[in-house]
């Protein structure tokens, strides 16, 4: 089934010049980039985006990190885009991520793990709306 998912290249990966290599992985896997932009999150915006994790011990550090510098947000479209993107990303903890995944190659630790990807259809819809207006998404 054709789906859309939200991807974020996180501040540490943008700072290290990894945008091109990470987008290449998505395109190589057949996912289409149908929307993309650089963004900078305020602390409040990062807190709202990660609202679901508010009670977790890492929430404060995570939202500080996610608001520490520019991010590259994109919408990926394709067959099973949500799970396909999660596969390409690898496990949350780079130390446990499979060989060849983004997080195994470029994640620094369980927090600074290079990328975000939506984890299900409802989250994807919410997260895409968080960053993009409908007329900023270009299916092709
Ligand atoms: N995170 C963290 N410590 C943890 C678990 C998660 O700092 O023990 C951060 C990490 O950046 C992760 C994000 O919080 O990507 C969201 O966590 P989630 O469990 O949703 O992992 P993901 O869906 O990103 O794999
Ligand atoms: Mg998640």
């Amino acid at each position: 089934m054709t789906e859309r998912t939200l991807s974020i290249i996180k501040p540490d990966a943008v700072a290290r010049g990894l945008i091109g290599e990470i987008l290449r992985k998505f395109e190589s896997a057949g996912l289409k980039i149908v929307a993309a932009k650089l963004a900078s999150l305020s602390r409040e915006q990062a807190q709202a985006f990660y609202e679901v994790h508010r009670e977790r011990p890492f929430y404060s550090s995570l939202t500080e990190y996610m608001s520490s510098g520019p991010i590259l947000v994109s919408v990926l479209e394709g067959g099973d885009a949500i799970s396909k993107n999660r596969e390409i990303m690898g496990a949350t903890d780079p130390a446990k991520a499979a060989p060849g995944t983004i997080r195994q190659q470029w994640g620094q630790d369980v927090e600074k793990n290079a990328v975000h990807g939506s984890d299900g259809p409802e989250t994807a819809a919410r997260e895409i709306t968080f960053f993009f207006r409908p007329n900023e998404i270009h299916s092709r």
Side-chain angles (χ1 to χ4, degrees), residues 60-81:
S60 177
S61 177
L62 171 64
T63 56
E64 184 182 351
Y65 158 56
M66 289 301 290
S67 56
S68 67
I71 57 176
L72 190 288
V73 282
S74 64
V75 178
L76 307 177
E77 186 178 84
D80 297 319

Side-chain angles (χ1 to χ4, degrees), residues 63-125:
T63 56
E64 184 182 351
Y65 158 56
M66 289 301 290
S67 56
S68 67
I71 57 176
L72 190 288
V73 282
S74 64
V75 178
L76 307 177
E77 186 178 84
D80 297 319
I82 296 168
S83 61
K84 193 181 268 189
N85 179 41
R86 298 283 310 189
E87 261 178 52
I88 298 164
M89 290 164 58
T92 307
D93 183 350
K96 296 175 186 152
T101 60
I102 292 169
R103 285 167 163 173
Q104 183 270 326
Q105 284 190 259
W106 296 303
Q108 307 196 88
D109 56 46
V110 70
E111 179 182 84
K112 294 177 178 57
N113 56 6
V115 281
H116 167 87
S118 308
D119 64 5
E122 279 118 52
T123 340

